[in-house]
Amino acid sequence: MGSSGTGRKDKGSDSSTHKKNSKRPKYSRFTQQELPACKPILTPPWVVEIVQEYDADCIPPDYRKDKVGYIQSDSTNKTCTLSMIVPKQMRSPVYIYYQLENFYQNHRRYVKSRNDKQLRNKAGEQKTSGCDPEETAAVGPDKAPIVPCGLIAWSLFNDTFKFSFESKVLDVNKKNIAWESDRKHKFGSDVYPKNFQNGSLIGGAQLNSSMPLSEQEDLIVWMRTAALPTFRKLYGKIEQDLHANQKISIIIQNNYNTYSFGGKKSLVLSTTSWIGGKNEFLGVGYLTVGGLSLTFAVGFILVYILKPREIGDPSYLSWNRNPAGHLIS
């Protein structure tokens, strides 16, 4: 009986000692992270993009062998009608771009062919330095400065696009397509086009002489030159949703001459997300740099294994040759 009681007492003592020595924290919903919480999973929306090259399709069959003659002739009909099928729903705004290939806006002479002081305010409209060969135009017996001068403005893109769906016109908004800083600080509200495209050789689009340069956003977009020979420029925005399987009709005025230098023209419809539009350049760049880094790493490992560097003899170290610290004469 006594022995049984003693056994029970020892068992209880062991249990209390175990509880006293336990490192288990006191239970609470806070420490166990069981409080109600919102855990959003960021899933950026897909960017929908439609690209259609039209420079070859907009050449009539009779001119397929003389594309340059077709585009330079004043008597040929430049109107072209194409269609696009919307693959997925495209929520507004849908951005319209034109894409040019093999057009080197980054050429040194082309980039320098402008005068920023002339573009900025009326006081500088006589300044045409750096704009050669589009500096001045003949006005009667005299010559007058071209505003805006230079090859960049002279070669302004002049194809136009009109969109419709089931005979209903899709309006294109061309407001706020240029950078606000360019509109406010680089192109003056008191500078108007003068003597522009008045020469014998017309490079591109005309400008409205009654509208200041700060409001001519097609020009502002074009004059922000691209760094690569393939680039896109914003043309406008369609501010309504496009639904899947819609057939969009496009009337194109195929005016811009890319045929003489083997260039290509494409029309792009695209949506954007909070991280921007579709851009494969960064992905390709990261993969290229990563691949090169991996290749070099494997190469160095193989060199280290197959032909390791010989370990030097430590006896040649100065402190080993002269352990007492005395100079050797």
Side-chain angles (χ1 to χ4, degrees):
M1 196 68 172
S3 137
S4 171
T6 302
R8 283 197 301 271
K9 183 177 179 180
D10 292 343
K11 185 177 180 181
S13 176
D14 292 344
S15 177
S16 63
T17 302
H18 176 71
K19 290 181 178 179
K20 187 180 293 185
N21 296 332
S22 175
K23 295 182 180 180
R24 181 177 181 181
K26 183 180 178 180
Y27 172 79
S28 72
R29 298 184 69 188
F30 177 76
T31 58
Q32 297 303 315
Q33 299 184 10
E34 294 178 356
L35 292 174
C38 178
K39 300 178 181 178
I41 300 175
L42 297 177
T43 53
W46 290 101
V47 173
V48 182
E49 183 177 280
I50 312 172
V51 182
Q52 181 156 343
E53 187 178 320
Y54 66 87
D55 54 281
D57 294 336
C58 285
I59 296 292
D62 295 342
Y63 289 92
R64 294 286 167 86
K65 294 183 179 180
D66 187 16
K67 297 177 181 178
V68 176
Y70 163 79
I71 203 70
Q72 292 181 342
S73 174
D74 294 330
S75 61
T76 55
N77 182 14
K78 305 295 194 303
T79 304
C80 170
T81 302
L82 300 176
S83 62
M84 283 183 173
I85 304 296
V86 180
K88 296 180 181 179
Q89 184 178 19
M90 303 178 73
R91 297 190 179 278
S92 67
V94 178
Y95 294 91
I96 307 167
Y97 300 89
Y98 56 88
Q99 176 175 299
L100 298 181
E101 298 181 33
N102 200 35
F103 192 114
Y104 288 82
Q105 271 198 320
N106 59 350
H107 190 281
R108 182 179 60 86
R109 288 194 63 188
Y110 184 88
V111 171
K112 292 175 64 177
S113 187
R114 61 188 291 169
N115 191 297
D116 290 323
K117 293 181 179 179
Q118 183 199 62
L119 300 172
R120 195 172 295 125
N121 54 60
K122 187 175 181 179
E125 69 177 14
Q126 298 293 325
K127 298 178 179 179
T128 59
S129 61
C131 290
D132 184 64
E134 292 297 317
E135 293 180 314
T136 58
V139 180
D142 302 321
K143 288 187 176 182
I146 299 173
V147 182
C149 66
L151 287 174
I152 304 177
W154 176 79
S155 60
L156 175 61
F157 186 79
N158 61 343
D159 284 3
T160 61
F161 311 100
K162 294 181 180 179
F163 301 84
S164 62
F165 170 67
E166 294 181 350
S167 302
K168 181 181 178 181
V169 175
L170 299 175
D171 294 327
V172 177
N173 182 5
K174 297 179 73 68
K175 292 289 185 181
N176 299 323
I177 60 174
W179 288 23
E180 184 179 3
S181 59
D182 288 355
R183 298 197 308 267
K184 289 185 175 180
H185 305 296
K186 292 188 177 182
F187 293 81
S189 59
D190 59 349
V191 183
Y192 292 81
K194 293 181 180 178
N195 308 312
F196 188 71
Q197 303 287 24
N198 284 351
S200 57
L201 185 61
I202 306 300
Q206 298 283 347
L207 295 176
N208 187 344
S209 59
S210 63
M211 183 182 295
L213 296 186
S214 61
E215 297 180 13
Q216 309 219 29
E217 297 197 44
D218 284 329
L219 172 69
I220 299 174
V221 170
W222 178 257
M223 293 196 69
R224 181 167 282 276
T225 52
L228 300 174
T230 297
F231 59 87
R232 294 177 181 179
K233 303 279 188 180
L234 185 60
Y235 179 83
K237 296 175 285 186
I238 298 175
E239 296 184 324
Q240 66 182 75
D241 293 349
L242 301 181
H243 302 286
N245 300 319
Q246 274 189 346
K247 186 176 182 180
I248 308 298
S249 296
I250 310 156
I251 298 176
I252 302 174
Q253 284 298 122
N254 183 27
N255 300 315
Y256 201 68
N257 182 9
T258 58
Y259 306 100
S260 59
F261 56 87
K264 295 181 180 180
K265 300 186 288 186
S266 300
L267 177 64
V268 182
L269 299 184
S270 178
T271 59
T272 60
S273 66
W274 62 274
I275 56 175
K278 184 176 180 181
N279 190 341
E280 297 178 351
F281 178 78
L282 282 179
V284 173
Y286 287 145
L287 290 174
T288 301
V289 173
L292 290 174
S293 300
L294 180 61
T295 302
F296 280 117
V298 172
F300 285 129
I301 291 172
L302 291 175
V303 169
Y304 178 77
I305 294 173
L306 299 177
K307 194 176 181 181
R309 181 181 178 182
E310 294 183 2
I311 299 176
D313 188 353
S315 64
Y316 286 98
L317 295 173
S318 60
W319 53 85
N320 289 333
R321 288 187 294 150
N322 189 20
H326 300 294
L327 292 175
I328 299 176
S329 56

